[in-house]
Amino acid sequence: MRNKLVACAAAFTLLVSGCADDPSGAEDGKLSVVAAFYPLRYLAERIGGDTVRVTDLAKPGVEPHDLELEPKQVATVGAADLVVYLAGFMPAVDDVIADEAKGKAFDVAGVEPLADAPPGAEEEEESGEKHANEGKDPHVWLDPTRFAAIGDKLAERLATADPDHAEAYKARAAEVRGQLTALDGEYTKALATCQRREIVTSHAAFGYLAARYRLTQVPISGLSPEGEPSPQHVAEVATMAREKGVTTIFFETLVSPKIAETLAKEVGAKAEVLDPLEGIEAGSNADYLSVMRQNLGKLTAALSCS
């Protein structure tokens, strides 16, 4: 399947190369940047400014883990000046980069070591294929300090690809770092004193956030939001929730809330969205900062923070 997709993409690239609709964006003189999914698009747009054109491979409202790329998207990756991705998070993107863009890809997983997945959260690979960062938690963007470090390195990579605008990239990265530092301060202050520190989540996306702010993540399922937890594990989470007086079971956007809602009803809690920012829903005016602040409000309410 992969070889067929790449072959189709190659043919498509030849087709569009003679057309006015150049997938690289070279016709407007801007640096063409492909971002694999929303948080990376956010950084690329904020740091790149008006000198880059950013294309997001994950469409709004689509869960990115199991994304399958269309031939036109593969052609866009091949024609880009820079591809920003996180190895292991979207295997289809890893495969296309290996074939079409290996020398012009920036893997944000290499900025800082990824944390191990929480116990019991490791995913089984049905195909038997091995991918980068197996057994690692990819949701690094949910720690604002780590996200800022990624932004700094992205600015350096943009400057390498476009030296004429190096200082502008550096300045915008500093502005982004300042915003993320302020966000980190808000989280630190708001979550310093809480009656509870356990957050029950539909899947194991919040490990970096929990570690940064001294919370304990209790995931119902593993790293994949579509994973099916065992009845025994669900029963264990329910017992813990009752013992700790958990008032809120968190589920995420873009996937079904059924398991979280069922567990919440069983333990006498409410079900509430905690957004892992893997994608922004279509038509939303929200961005990384606004969603993270919405998440903070929901956490402080759920944990009875003073």
Side-chain angles (χ1 to χ4, degrees), residues 3 53 59 78 93 104 107 123 132 144 181 197 223 227 300:
N3 291 337
R53 172 189 286 191
K59 297 177 181 179
V93 175
K104 51 187 179 181
D107 176 13
E123 301 299 329
T181 298
R197 306 206 72 80
L223 290 175
T300 56

Side-chain angles (χ1 to χ4, degrees), residues 177-287:
R177 171 171 280 281
Q179 294 169 343
L180 293 173
T181 298
L183 178 66
D184 176 58
E186 292 172 28
Y187 264 77
T188 299
K189 181 178 179 180
L191 297 174
T193 307
C194 304
Q195 292 183 18
R196 291 172 297 280
R197 306 206 72 80
E198 297 80 17
I199 53 172
V200 179
T201 61
S202 58
H203 92 287
F206 296 91
Y208 293 98
L209 185 148
R212 176 66 184 169
Y213 304 110
R214 299 186 296 108
L215 304 177
T216 299
Q217 174 186 234
V218 183
I220 300 172
S221 62
L223 290 175
S224 170
E226 297 176 352
E228 291 290 337
S230 68
Q232 179 183 357
H233 179 67
V234 175
E236 291 172 352
V237 175
T239 298
M240 184 284 304
R242 292 190 189 96
E243 291 176 349
K244 297 291 186 179
V246 171
T247 63
T248 307
I249 307 297
F250 289 111
F251 64 93
E252 67 170 80
T253 55
L254 308 182
V255 295
S256 172
K258 183 178 293 186
I259 293 177
E261 289 176 343
T262 300
L263 180 61
K265 184 176 181 180
E266 180 181 343
V267 302
K270 68 175 181 178
E272 177 70 273
V273 170
L274 193 65
D275 196 330
L277 273 158
E278 293 174 359
I280 293 291
E281 293 184 333
S284 173
N285 293 322
D287 67 3

Side-chain angles (χ1 to χ4, degrees), residues 131-150:
H131 295 283
N133 296 318
E134 280 194 17
K136 299 292 184 179
D137 182 355
H139 303 88
V140 63
W141 59 90
L142 292 174
D143 176 343
T145 64
R146 288 175 176 259
F147 200 42
I150 291 171

